[in-house]
Amino acid sequence: MPHCYWLITDESRCNVQTLHDKAPFIACRRAARAVVPATSLSGALDPDALPRLSEHFGQLLFAGAGSHVAGCGHSQRTDAAQRGCGAAYAQQIPLSTLNFLTGAT
């Protein structure tokens, strides 16, 4: 990743299994070695996995239902790190935006 400035991965559901050598996590580790920030885009985000995921991904964007950040109870515009949720930054985004970013139809 010598010419990369930002890694964006996508997955249908980001959870603890993501950290078990699934492709997004392998790419994230490689990005970390190259000092490249990593963002995860997912359809859903498991709030129980948020602390562990945030150790590796700088941003966690998801299109799950509801208006809370990863189930922690804060509004979707809240910086979760400042509120002690354990994430560097987790934000819910509209499904249409996720589909646009990932090329899904």
Side-chain angles (χ1 to χ4, degrees):
M1 296 188 184
H3 302 290
C4 296
Y5 297 100
W6 184 21
L7 171 72
I8 302 172
T9 67
D10 73 332
E11 188 172 19
S12 60
R13 180 170 173 82
C14 201
N15 54 29
V16 175
Q17 289 183 354
T18 302
L19 303 175
H20 293 277
D21 287 334
K22 290 178 79 177
F25 183 59
I26 292 169
C28 182
R29 285 195 319 223
R30 290 181 181 170
R33 286 194 297 269
V35 194
V36 173
T39 295
S40 170
L41 296 175
S42 62
L45 179 63
D46 180 359
D48 294 333
L50 189 56
R52 291 189 56 205
L53 290 167
S54 66
E55 292 174 12
H56 305 282
F57 292 95
Q59 282 187 317
L60 298 155
L61 304 176
F62 65 102
S67 61
H68 292 69
V69 173
C72 70
H74 296 124
S75 76
Q76 58 185 336
R77 292 190 174 95
T78 300
D79 184 338
Q82 292 178 353
R83 300 294 184 176
C85 297
Y89 187 78
Q91 182 176 353
Q92 182 179 1
I93 59 175
L95 182 58
S96 59
T97 302
L98 182 67
N99 288 340
F100 173 77
L101 292 171
T102 61
T105 56

